[in-house]
Amino acid sequence: MVSRLSFLAGAAALAASVLASTASFAQDKVTVFAAASLKNALDAVNTACEADVGEATISYAASSALAKQIEGGAPADIFVSADLDWMAYLSEKNLTKKDTEVKLLGNSIVLVAPADSTAATDIKENFDLAGLLGDGKLAMANVDSVPAGKYGKAALEKLGVWGSVEGKVAQAENVRAALALVSTGEAPLGIVYKTDAAADRKVKIVGAFPEGSHAPIVYPAAITAESNDADAAAFLKCMQSAKAKTLFEEQGFTVLSPVASN
């Protein structure tokens, strides 16, 4: 019995040591929580910034989910949201370092279909989206909490067609999940960011939503209040650098933040 207890105690100590080492390793990297729509662009920026500030650990999900995780104590150093609302949510709770908040990027939303689809439409007031869908579903990110879904619903309401398609909406946990529904052919149409459409060759843009149909799409970024990583400021600055600007623009984003000097 004694030897068994000693073995268990030793195993527990070893496990604790491994966990401590893993945590220590994770703390050596800047941890970024970023909107799912940023994946392609921010992965490229991360690689470009590695030589200057080291590689960051980036977690992608819906802005709403990430903000709630940060509120719950998740160890993020930087938060990049796909809308101003979720940044304001954390800022008002004093969970960001307010002097680091910056409007980083802009985007737009589009209607997409599978690449081999024959669908075509002119997105305008009272356009026949329901007819275009037929018996199919409209893929969207969650319309109540996820920025892409909120922008999409607002646009459809403004154009007077939300009521005709509300019952046909297939809501996904984030915009990339909505994109996947169209890319795999599970939904004939979907509303995603222009940058998402550009990142997936299995979809094509059917039409673009007029800017005035929804609030401006702005991606803010900030260092979290709990961050103690000295490299967080350097990584945020690198996201505003000339090389990052080029990479963001290659993915279709509009760069809003002034280019940071080296």
Side-chain angles (χ1 to χ4, degrees):
M1 176 65 72
V2 173
S3 61
R4 177 174 173 78
L5 289 175
S6 297
F7 172 79
L8 291 175
L14 177 61
S17 176
V18 170
L19 288 173
S21 297
T22 302
S24 176
F25 176 75
Q27 289 171 2
D28 288 340
K29 294 185 177 182
V30 174
T31 301
V32 181
F33 280 16
S37 52
L38 286 164
K39 179 167 175 50
N40 296 65
L42 198 51
D43 278 354
V45 170
N46 191 18
T47 299
C49 291
E50 184 176 357
D52 298 327
V53 297
E55 182 185 25
T57 298
I58 307 179
S59 294
Y60 297 102
S63 301
S64 51
L66 296 172
K68 288 290 188 177
Q69 288 174 26
I70 292 171
E71 183 182 18
D77 295 301
I78 295 173
F79 176 49
V80 191
S81 174
D83 72 356
L84 295 171
D85 290 346
W86 284 110
M87 183 62 74
Y89 178 85
L90 292 183
S91 183
E92 289 167 4
K93 295 177 180 291
N94 296 315
L95 294 174
T96 64
K97 295 180 179 178
K98 293 181 174 59
D99 60 342
T100 68
E101 292 177 14
V102 60
K103 293 179 180 178
L104 187 65
L105 303 167
N107 209 338
S108 59
I109 53 172
V110 295
L111 186 68
V112 294
D116 60 357
S117 172
T118 59
T121 190
D122 180 18
I123 298 180
K124 59 184 179 180
E125 189 172 352
N126 297 317
F127 76 106
D128 189 16
L129 181 56
L132 201 61
L133 282 168
D135 295 329
K137 294 289 188 178
L138 177 64
M140 297 178 67
N142 186 290
V143 300
D144 295 317
S145 60
V146 180
K150 291 162 59 182
Y151 291 128
K153 180 182 177 181
L156 294 178
E157 287 179 331
K158 180 75 172 180
L159 296 170
V161 300
W162 174 251
S164 67
V165 299
E166 183 177 3
K168 297 174 178 280
V169 174
Q171 297 189 56
E173 64 181 8
N174 60 58
V175 70
R176 284 300 174 97
L179 177 70
L181 290 176
V182 181
S183 179
T184 58
E186 295 180 61
L189 295 170
I191 298 177
V192 299
Y193 295 116
K194 179 182 177 181
T195 53
D196 294 310
D200 193 332
R201 295 180 180 179
K202 292 182 180 180
V203 304
K204 68 176 184 179
I205 295 175
V206 175
F209 286 87
E211 287 186 8
S213 63
H214 56 81
I217 298 174
V218 177
Y219 288 66
I223 297 174
T224 65
E226 296 300 315
S227 175
N228 293 313
D229 195 316
D231 290 329
F235 192 84
L236 181 59
K237 182 178 180 181
C238 194
M239 284 197 293
Q240 301 169 70
S241 66
K243 58 187 173 184
K245 180 177 186 291
T246 298
L247 293 169
F248 281 129
E249 290 178 341
E250 285 177 354
Q251 294 293 327
F253 288 97
T254 302
V255 175
L256 303 178
S257 177
V259 174
S261 59
N262 293 328

